[in-house]
Amino acid sequence: MKKVDVILGLQWGDEGKGKVVDVLTPRYEVVARFQGGPNAGHTLEFNGEKYVLRSIPSGIFQGGKANIIGNGVVLDAVLFRKEAEELARSGHDLTRQLSISKKAHLILPTHRLLDAAYEAAKGSAKIGTTGKGIGPTYTDKVSRNGMRVGDLLRADFRAVYAAAKARHERILRSLDFAYDLTELENEWFEAIEYLKRFRLIDSEYAVNDALKADKAVLAEGAQGTLLDVDFGSYPFVTSSNTVCAGVCTGLGVAPNRIGEVFGIFKAYCTRVGSGPFPTELFDETGAELRRIGHEFGAVTGRERRCGWLDLVALKYAVMINGVTQLIMMKSDVMNDFETIRVATAYRIGDRVTDEFPYSIDADVEPVYTDFEGWRCDLRACRTYADFPEAFKRYVDFIERETGVPVKIVSVGPDRDETVIR
């Protein structure tokens, strides 16, 4: 029986998972998204076109592949419709390729209002949420008050929705939050009718039946390990388990069915929104990384904070996920840097550690190791032998420190700008 291979981010998200899923998809017959909501934007570029996917698996561009939105995902019908219709206009017919788990939870219009109300109530302690209603939806899921995609098939769907809406409105009133629900609600109900066009399935059976039939399955995650609700930089995290274990609960896959774990990381680090970031650069170097790397959120357009590669955090993410192969993204962004720095330890007070601590607050000072920059255009490289020795030394160091091989190096946004060892 085949096993499920997993692809996930090892930093604070935005590592470039979409491109890699697209590159790897020819090896697989099924691509399944296992967690997260439409706050995650996977950007793909090929044939001169650029696409941003929020909820739809990135395998959708490789014809003939089955794509599944799993039960661990929270789905906004309005944003899903916009995404699907945009893809349809570009020639991708999703109704034949895409299935949606009945157990995936629905983001209601009032969830988005609650997200805004909760964030406003935090004042200066804001998390930096995207305002898409992700957190409140997962809250309802855990408190056993959520609505699921399968509820669309119920005769009393409207009554179930009305009860959920009334509960949310009581909370909004208690927070003294002003709102107008009319337009949001009308658009949502129209999108719900659109959603019914797709195959609504018991995805746990679909995935396991595919494995029994010896079909290759790739599980695709959203966000990154350091945003995991249990193991990330809490409370500045997302609301789901972004780590490999989330595949088991997000798709209904047994732990012994997990195969290769592809861990994606940038050659440097970025973060969107609030929260601690030990290697963040506030100088011209950070601005250059942002400018050259086009570091702006695919969904929100927000500036990404930029910094040097953090090996303490990366080794932690490798351990938590059981990563078997590393994939390095955006190496080309640092083509012209004279010196490249890597954080190899943290100084906390009078103690130096290479372990990721309970809290990475302002008291954490990174300890750096410096490398000579490669000072050439990596985008021209198509084999590992083409890379300059300075870049190879950088890769070799990461492999020694993590104990995991770097199997893929991305040197640009296009499909073809990918070096596989």
Side-chain angles (χ1 to χ4, degrees):
M1 183 188 287
K2 291 275 190 182
K3 294 194 173 186
V4 175
D5 291 345
V6 181
I7 191 161
L8 41 75
L10 300 181
Q11 295 164 316
W12 279 285
D14 307 309
E15 298 94 350
K17 294 179 287 296
K19 173 191 171 176
V20 178
V21 173
D22 179 63
V23 169
L24 293 179
T25 294
R27 307 181 189 179
Y28 298 90
E29 293 160 275
V30 179
V31 179
R33 170 86 175 267
F34 68 87
Q35 52 74 224
N39 55 337
H42 291 175
T43 303
L44 299 90
E45 295 185 33
F46 49 86
N47 301 330
E49 298 291 335
K50 181 176 180 179
Y51 303 90
V52 177
L53 301 180
R54 297 174 177 84
S55 299
I56 295 169
S58 303
I60 205 71
F61 298 106
Q62 301 282 1
K65 309 295 181 179
N67 287 261
I68 297 172
I69 296 176
N71 61 276
V73 173
V74 292
L75 192 65
D76 184 319
V78 174
L79 294 179
F80 171 82
R81 179 184 183 180
K82 290 178 180 177
E83 184 178 345
E85 288 181 337
E86 185 175 327
L87 288 171
R89 284 193 293 272
S90 65
H92 300 90
D93 182 8
L94 305 191
T95 55
R96 291 179 296 169
Q97 289 181 264
L98 182 66
S99 301
I100 304 169
S101 174
K102 293 176 186 175
K103 292 184 174 68
H105 277 246
L106 290 167
I107 300 174
L108 309 186
T110 42
H111 281 135
R112 300 187 73 165
L113 297 174
L114 285 169
D115 205 348
Y118 289 143
E119 189 76 342
K122 288 185 173 73
S124 61
K126 286 181 173 64
I127 298 295
T129 172
T130 59
K132 297 291 191 297
I134 312 298
T137 306
Y138 276 113
T139 298
D140 273 1
K141 175 178 179 175
V142 173
S143 66
R144 303 181 296 280
N145 286 306
M147 291 186 68
R148 300 185 292 178
V149 169
D151 290 333
L152 300 181
L153 307 176
R154 294 176 54 160
D156 62 346
F157 173 75
R158 288 272 183 164
V160 174
Y161 169 78
K165 172 186 170 182
R167 184 174 63 254
H168 293 163
E169 288 191 304
R170 286 194 294 271
I171 299 171
L172 289 167
R173 285 194 295 271
S174 74
L175 293 170
D176 197 25
F177 187 78
Y179 64 92
D180 183 357
L181 189 56
T182 306
E183 187 176 339
L184 285 174
E185 199 170 48
N186 289 339
E187 189 178 25
W188 188 78
F189 276 113
E190 289 177 6
I192 285 294
E193 292 304 311
Y194 179 82
L195 190 60
K196 291 178 181 178
R197 300 181 188 181
F198 293 84
R199 287 192 297 271
L200 310 183
I201 64 170
D202 296 311
S203 56
E204 61 273 31
Y205 279 103
V207 172
N208 282 285
D209 286 347
L211 295 176
K212 289 176 184 176
D214 212 31
K215 293 182 178 180
V217 178
L218 181 65
E220 174 188 15
Q223 290 92 32
T225 295
L226 301 180
L227 293 176
D228 184 273
V229 69
D230 282 298
F231 298 104
S233 52
Y234 192 89
F236 300 95
V237 294
T238 193
S239 304
S240 60
N241 285 117
T242 62
V243 296
C244 185
V247 175
C248 299
T249 55
L251 291 177
V253 175
N256 63 355
R257 296 266 63 85
I258 301 296
E260 295 289 335
V261 180
F262 300 101
I264 304 181
F265 69 103
K266 284 177 180 170
Y268 52 98
C269 275
T270 62
R271 178 163 198 172
V272 174
S274 305
F277 184 178
T279 63
E280 183 173 8
L281 294 168
F282 300 95
D283 57 8
E284 182 58 29
T285 300
E288 278 294 282
L289 285 172
R290 184 180 304 110
R291 182 185 64 81
I292 299 169
H294 306 291
E295 294 296 355
F296 302 90
V299 171
T300 64
R302 291 185 295 179
E303 279 193 355
R304 293 178 184 143
R305 301 151 62 192
C306 297
W308 297 119
L309 180 64
D310 186 337
L311 263 181
V312 178
L314 185 63
K315 287 160 64 177
Y316 172 78
V318 166
M319 175 185 72
I320 293 294
N321 290 296
V323 173
T324 59
Q325 298 185 40
L326 285 170
I327 300 172
M328 181 189 288
M329 308 298 290
K330 290 199 158 184
S331 312
D332 55 296
V333 171
M334 297 193 291
N335 281 343
D336 298 323
F337 284 67
E338 188 171 329
T339 301
I340 308 293
R341 311 195 81 189
V342 179
T344 52
Y346 293 157
R347 181 174 288 108
I348 307 172
D350 59 358
R351 181 171 64 93
V352 174
T353 181
D354 65 353
E355 293 187 356
F356 196 74
Y358 171 77
S359 175
I360 51 168
D361 55 22
D363 293 332
V364 172
E365 178 189 351
V367 177
Y368 288 109
T369 297
D370 289 354
F371 291 83
E372 174 192 356
W374 31 95
R375 308 283 288 176
C376 74
D377 187 5
L378 296 184
R379 296 189 72 167
C381 300
R382 288 298 177 269
T383 69
Y384 196 76
D386 295 336
F387 287 136
E389 290 304 313
F391 180 70
K392 289 179 182 177
R393 285 193 290 272
Y394 187 71
V395 175
D396 289 346
F397 181 76
I398 292 169
E399 290 184 324
R400 286 197 305 273
E401 288 292 307
T402 61
V404 180
V406 176
K407 287 291 190 179
I408 297 177
V409 178
S410 175
V411 293
D414 198 87
R415 275 178 183 163
D416 295 334
E417 295 174 313
T418 309
V419 176
I420 302 176
R421 297 173 73 184

